Amino acid sequence: MSTSGSVLRCKDTLVDLSHPLVMGVLNVTPDSFSDGGRFLDTEAAVRHGLDLARQGAAFIDVGGESTRPGAAPVGVEEELRRVIPVIERLRGASAAVISIDTSKPEVMRAAAAAGAGLINDVRALREPGALAAARDSGCAVCLMHMRGEPRTMQLEPEYADVVGEVRAFLAGRVAACRAAGIAGERLAIDPGFGFGKTLEHNLTLLRHLGELTAAGAPLAVGLSRKSMVGKLTGRPGGERMLGSVVLAVLAALAGASIVRAHDVAATVEALKVVTAVRGH
Ligand code: 7PM
C-alpha cells in the first residue's frame, strides 16, 4: 500500500499512518446539521470530545465555523469563543491529537497555542496569512479541495476531469506549503467529498482515490453522513452510519490514511478489520 511507513508530524508528535486512523468530528456550532446544536456549550463539547477519544479517535476535529452550504459566516471573535475553551480542556486529557477546523489565521495561531496539533482547512491555507500562521504553529495541516465557496459550491459544479483537477490543485497547495517552509511530513491532502461535487464526481474520485496520493502526502477523506450517502441509500441524516462506514472501508482499502467520521466507534471497529485483512 502506498500509505505504509508514512507519518504525520503534529508539532513534536509523530503519528504513525501505516494503518488508517479515525478523525472524530466535534462541532461547536449552533447550526450543525449532524448534531443539531446539542454540543453548543463548552462542557458538553468537552464531554463529547473525550468520548470520541475513548472510542478510538486518533484526532478530534474541533470546528466552530459551519461549512454548510448557505451558512452565515462566523466572525473571528465568535469562532475563538467557541473553540479555544474546548481545546484548552481537551489538551492532555487523552492521547488524541486535537485538530482545529478553520480557515482563519488568527484561529490557527490561537488554537495551536491552546494545544491543537493539526490544522484542518477546507480552504487549504488560501486565506491571506494562513500559510504563515500554519508554518509558525508547528502543526500538521490537512489541505482540502473545494470548488468555489460553501454558499454556492453545489450550484451545478462542472469539471472536464475531476480527478486530474483535484490532484493538480492539491499538488499546487502542497508546493505552496513547502515553499512557505512547511515540511512535507506535516502535510496531508483531502479531495473534499461533497465540496463543489455532484454524486458522480464523488464516485469518480472514490474510484480513483489512489491516484491522488501521487502528490506524495498521506490522504484524508470525509464521507461521514454526507448527502452522497443519502443519495446512495435513501437514508436521512441521522440514519447514515452503515453507508458511511462502508465508504470509510472502501476509502481505506483505496489508500486513505485518515478517515473523518461522526460515528467513531463503528468506524474504528471497521478499520480494525481492514487493517487485519490487509496485513503488514
Ligand atoms: C455541512 C456541509 C455541514 C458540510 C458539514 C459539512 C470535511 C471536512 C467537513 C471533509 C475535511 C461534513 C462537512 N467535511 N474536513 N470538514 N474533509 N478534511 O459533512 O470532507 O462534516 S464539514
Side-chain angles (χ1 to χ4, degrees), residues 84-135:
I84 299 302
V86 175
I87 294 170
E88 283 173 343
R89 298 263 314 273
L90 285 178
R91 120 185 264 175
S94 81
V97 171
I98 300 166
S99 162
I100 176 66
D101 183 344
T102 193
S103 297
K104 295 186 180 73
E106 300 91 336
V107 178
M108 292 172 189
R109 290 184 189 277
L118 188 150
I119 294 165
N120 176 32
D121 183 6
V122 300
R123 293 180 182 79
L125 305 183
R126 284 178 292 162
E127 291 292 305
L131 277 168
R135 182 235 294 133

Coordinates of all heavy atoms in Angstrom, one line a residue, residues 84-135:
I84 N -11.7 27.8 21.5 CA -10.5 27.8 22.4 C -10.7 27.2 23.7 O -9.9 26.3 24.2 CB -9.9 29.3 22.5 CG1 -9.5 29.8 21.1 CG2 -8.7 29.3 23.5 CD1 -8.4 28.9 20.4
P85 N -11.8 27.5 24.4 CA -12.0 26.8 25.7 C -12.1 25.3 25.6 O -11.7 24.6 26.5 CB -13.4 27.4 26.2 CG -13.6 28.6 25.4 CD -12.9 28.4 24.1
V86 N -12.7 24.8 24.5 CA -12.8 23.4 24.3 C -11.4 22.7 24.1 O -11.1 21.7 24.7 CB -13.7 23.1 23.1 CG1 -13.8 21.6 22.8 CG2 -15.1 23.6 23.3
I87 N -10.6 23.4 23.3 CA -9.2 22.9 23.0 C -8.4 22.9 24.3 O -7.8 21.9 24.6 CB -8.5 23.7 21.9 CG1 -9.3 23.5 20.6 CG2 -7.1 23.3 21.8 CD1 -8.8 24.5 19.5
E88 N -8.5 23.9 25.1 CA -7.8 24.0 26.4 C -8.2 22.9 27.3 O -7.3 22.3 28.0 CB -8.0 25.4 27.0 CG -7.2 26.5 26.4 CD -7.6 27.9 26.9 OE1 -8.6 28.0 27.6 OE2 -6.8 28.8 26.7
R89 N -9.5 22.6 27.3 CA -9.9 21.5 28.2 C -9.6 20.1 27.7 O -9.5 19.2 28.5 CB -11.4 21.6 28.5 CG -11.8 23.0 29.2 CD -11.9 22.8 30.7 NE -12.7 21.7 31.0 CZ -14.0 21.6 31.1 NH1 -14.7 22.7 30.9 NH2 -14.7 20.5 31.4
L90 N -9.5 19.9 26.4 CA -9.2 18.6 25.8 C -7.7 18.3 25.8 O -7.3 17.1 25.9 CB -9.7 18.5 24.3 CG -11.3 18.4 24.2 CD1 -11.6 18.4 22.7 CD2 -11.8 17.1 24.8
R91 N -6.9 19.4 25.7 CA -5.5 19.2 25.7 C -5.0 18.3 26.8 O -5.3 18.6 28.0 CB -4.8 20.5 25.6 CG -3.8 20.8 26.7 CD -3.2 22.2 26.6 NE -1.9 22.2 26.0 CZ -1.2 23.2 25.7 NH1 -1.7 24.4 26.0 NH2 0.0 23.2 25.1
G92 N -4.2 17.3 26.5 CA -3.7 16.5 27.6 C -4.6 15.5 28.3 O -4.2 14.7 29.1
A93 N -5.9 15.6 28.0 CA -6.9 14.8 28.6 C -7.0 13.4 27.9 O -7.6 12.5 28.4 CB -8.3 15.5 28.6
S94 N -6.4 13.3 26.7 CA -6.4 12.0 26.0 C -5.1 12.0 25.1 O -4.5 13.0 25.0 CB -7.6 11.8 25.2 OG -7.5 12.5 24.0
A95 N -4.9 10.9 24.5 CA -3.7 10.8 23.6 C -4.1 11.3 22.3 O -3.2 11.5 21.4 CB -3.3 9.3 23.5
A96 N -5.3 11.6 22.0 CA -5.7 12.0 20.7 C -5.1 13.4 20.4 O -5.0 14.3 21.2 CB -7.2 12.1 20.6
V97 N -4.7 13.6 19.1 CA -4.3 14.9 18.6 C -5.5 15.8 18.4 O -6.4 15.4 17.7 CB -3.5 14.7 17.3 CG1 -3.1 16.1 16.7 CG2 -2.2 13.9 17.6
I98 N -5.4 17.0 18.9 CA -6.6 17.9 18.6 C -6.3 18.6 17.3 O -5.3 19.2 17.0 CB -6.7 19.0 19.8 CG1 -6.9 18.2 21.1 CG2 -7.8 20.0 19.5 CD1 -6.7 19.1 22.3
S99 N -7.4 18.6 16.5 CA -7.4 19.2 15.2 C -8.3 20.5 15.2 O -9.3 20.4 15.8 CB -7.9 18.2 14.2 OG -8.3 18.9 13.0
I100 N -7.9 21.6 14.6 CA -8.7 22.8 14.5 C -9.2 22.9 13.1 O -8.4 23.0 12.2 CB -8.0 24.0 15.0 CG1 -8.8 25.3 14.9 CG2 -6.6 24.2 14.4 CD1 -10.1 25.3 15.7
D101 N -10.5 22.9 13.0 CA -11.2 23.0 11.7 C -11.4 24.5 11.4 O -12.4 25.1 11.9 CB -12.5 22.2 11.7 CG -13.2 22.2 10.4 OD1 -12.9 23.0 9.5 OD2 -14.1 21.3 10.2
T102 N -10.5 25.2 10.7 CA -10.7 26.6 10.5 C -9.9 27.0 9.2 O -9.0 26.3 8.8 CB -10.1 27.4 11.7 OG1 -10.6 28.8 11.5 CG2 -8.6 27.4 11.7
S103 N -10.3 28.2 8.7 CA -9.6 28.8 7.6 C -8.9 30.1 8.0 O -8.2 30.8 7.2 CB -10.5 29.1 6.4 OG -11.1 27.9 5.9
K104 N -9.2 30.5 9.3 CA -8.7 31.9 9.7 C -7.4 31.8 10.4 O -7.2 31.0 11.4 CB -9.8 32.4 10.7 CG -11.1 32.7 10.1 CD -12.0 33.4 11.1 CE -13.4 33.8 10.6 NZ -14.2 32.5 10.5
P105 N -6.4 32.6 9.9 CA -5.1 32.5 10.5 C -5.1 32.8 12.0 O -4.3 32.2 12.8 CB -4.3 33.6 9.8 CG -5.2 34.3 8.9 CD -6.5 33.5 8.8
E106 N -5.9 33.8 12.5 CA -6.0 34.1 13.9 C -6.4 32.9 14.8 O -5.9 32.7 15.9 CB -7.0 35.3 14.2 CG -6.7 36.6 13.4 CD -7.4 36.6 12.1 OE1 -7.7 35.6 11.5 OE2 -7.6 37.8 11.6
V107 N -7.3 32.2 14.2 CA -7.8 31.0 14.9 C -6.8 29.9 14.9 O -6.6 29.2 15.9 CB -9.2 30.5 14.3 CG1 -9.7 29.2 15.0 CG2 -10.2 31.6 14.4
M108 N -6.1 29.7 13.8 CA -5.0 28.8 13.7 C -3.9 29.0 14.8 O -3.5 28.1 15.5 CB -4.3 28.8 12.3 CG -5.2 28.3 11.2 SD -4.4 28.6 9.6 CE -5.8 28.2 8.5
R109 N -3.5 30.3 14.9 CA -2.5 30.7 15.9 C -3.0 30.4 17.3 O -2.2 29.8 18.1 CB -2.1 32.1 15.7 CG -1.3 32.4 14.4 CD -0.8 33.8 14.4 NE -0.2 34.2 13.1 CZ 1.0 33.9 12.7 NH1 1.8 33.3 13.6 NH2 1.4 34.2 11.5
A110 N -4.2 30.9 17.6 CA -4.7 30.7 19.0 C -5.0 29.2 19.3 O -4.7 28.8 20.4 CB -6.0 31.5 19.2
A111 N -5.4 28.5 18.4 CA -5.7 27.1 18.6 C -4.4 26.3 18.8 O -4.3 25.4 19.7 CB -6.5 26.5 17.4
A112 N -3.4 26.6 18.1 CA -2.1 26.0 18.3 C -1.5 26.3 19.6 O -1.0 25.4 20.3 CB -1.1 26.4 17.1
A113 N -1.6 27.6 20.1 CA -1.2 28.0 21.4 C -2.0 27.3 22.5 O -1.4 27.0 23.5 CB -1.3 29.5 21.5
A114 N -3.2 27.0 22.2 CA -4.1 26.3 23.2 C -3.9 24.8 23.3 O -4.4 24.1 24.2 CB -5.6 26.6 22.9
G115 N -3.2 24.2 22.2 CA -2.9 22.8 22.3 C -3.2 22.0 21.1 O -3.0 20.8 21.0
A116 N -3.7 22.6 20.0 CA -4.0 21.9 18.8 C -2.7 21.4 18.1 O -1.7 22.1 18.2 CB -4.8 22.7 17.8
G117 N -2.8 20.2 17.5 CA -1.6 19.7 16.8 C -1.8 19.6 15.3 O -0.9 19.2 14.6
L118 N -3.0 19.8 14.8 CA -3.3 19.7 13.4 C -4.3 20.8 13.0 O -5.2 21.2 13.7 CB -3.9 18.3 13.1 CG -4.1 17.9 11.6 CD1 -4.0 16.4 11.5 CD2 -5.5 18.3 11.1
I119 N -4.1 21.4 11.8 CA -5.0 22.4 11.2 C -5.7 21.7 10.1 O -5.0 21.2 9.1 CB -4.2 23.6 10.8 CG1 -3.6 24.4 12.0 CG2 -5.1 24.6 10.0 CD1 -2.5 25.4 11.6
N120 N -7.0 21.7 10.2 CA -7.8 21.1 9.1 C -8.5 22.2 8.4 O -9.5 22.8 8.9 CB -8.8 20.1 9.7 CG -9.8 19.6 8.6 OD1 -9.4 19.4 7.5 ND2 -11.0 19.3 9.0
D121 N -8.0 22.6 7.2 CA -8.6 23.8 6.5 C -9.2 23.4 5.2 O -8.5 23.0 4.2 CB -7.4 24.8 6.3 CG -7.9 26.1 5.6 OD1 -9.1 26.2 5.5 OD2 -7.1 26.9 5.3
V122 N -10.5 23.6 5.1 CA -11.3 23.3 3.9 C -10.9 24.2 2.7 O -11.2 24.0 1.6 CB -12.8 23.3 4.1 CG1 -13.2 22.2 5.1 CG2 -13.3 24.7 4.5
R123 N -10.2 25.3 3.1 CA -9.7 26.3 2.0 C -8.2 26.1 1.8 O -7.6 26.9 1.0 CB -10.0 27.7 2.4 CG -11.5 28.0 2.4 CD -11.9 29.4 2.8 NE -13.3 29.7 2.8 CZ -14.1 29.3 3.8 NH1 -13.6 28.7 4.9 NH2 -15.4 29.5 3.7
A124 N -7.6 25.1 2.4 CA -6.2 24.7 2.0 C -5.2 25.8 2.2 O -4.3 26.0 1.3 CB -6.2 24.0 0.6
L125 N -5.4 26.6 3.2 CA -4.5 27.7 3.5 C -4.4 28.8 2.4 O -3.4 29.4 2.2 CB -3.0 27.2 3.8 CG -2.9 26.1 4.9 CD1 -1.4 25.8 5.1 CD2 -3.5 26.6 6.2
R126 N -5.6 29.0 1.8 CA -5.6 30.1 0.7 C -6.0 31.4 1.3 O -5.9 32.4 0.5 CB -6.6 29.7 -0.4 CG -6.0 28.6 -1.3 CD -7.0 28.2 -2.4 NE -8.1 27.5 -1.8 CZ -9.3 27.3 -2.4 NH1 -9.5 27.8 -3.6 NH2 -10.2 26.6 -1.8
E127 N -6.5 31.5 2.5 CA -6.8 32.9 3.1 C -5.5 33.6 3.3 O -4.5 33.0 3.7 CB -7.6 32.7 4.4 CG -9.0 32.2 4.2 CD -9.9 33.1 3.5 OE1 -10.0 34.3 3.9 OE2 -10.5 32.7 2.4
P128 N -5.5 35.0 3.2 CA -4.3 35.7 3.5 C -3.8 35.5 4.9 O -4.6 35.6 5.8 CB -4.8 37.2 3.3 CG -6.0 37.1 2.4 CD -6.6 35.8 2.7
G129 N -2.5 35.2 5.0 CA -1.9 35.0 6.3 C -2.0 33.5 6.8 O -1.3 33.2 7.8
A130 N -2.7 32.7 6.1 CA -2.9 31.3 6.6 C -1.6 30.5 6.5 O -1.3 29.7 7.4 CB -4.1 30.6 5.9
L131 N -0.9 30.6 5.4 CA 0.3 29.8 5.2 C 1.3 30.1 6.3 O 1.9 29.2 6.9 CB 0.9 30.1 3.8 CG 0.4 29.4 2.6 CD1 0.9 30.0 1.3 CD2 0.7 27.9 2.7
A132 N 1.5 31.4 6.6 CA 2.5 31.8 7.7 C 2.0 31.3 9.0 O 2.8 30.9 9.9 CB 2.7 33.3 7.7
A133 N 0.7 31.5 9.3 CA 0.2 31.0 10.6 C 0.4 29.5 10.8 O 0.8 29.1 11.9 CB -1.3 31.4 10.7
A134 N 0.1 28.8 9.8 CA 0.3 27.3 9.8 C 1.7 27.0 10.0 O 2.1 26.1 10.8 CB -0.3 26.6 8.6
R135 N 2.6 27.6 9.2 CA 4.0 27.4 9.3 C 4.5 27.6 10.7 O 5.2 26.7 11.3 CB 4.8 28.3 8.3 CG 6.3 28.0 8.3 CD 7.0 29.3 8.6 NE 6.9 30.3 7.5 CZ 6.6 31.6 7.7 NH1 6.5 32.1 8.9 NH2 6.5 32.4 6.7

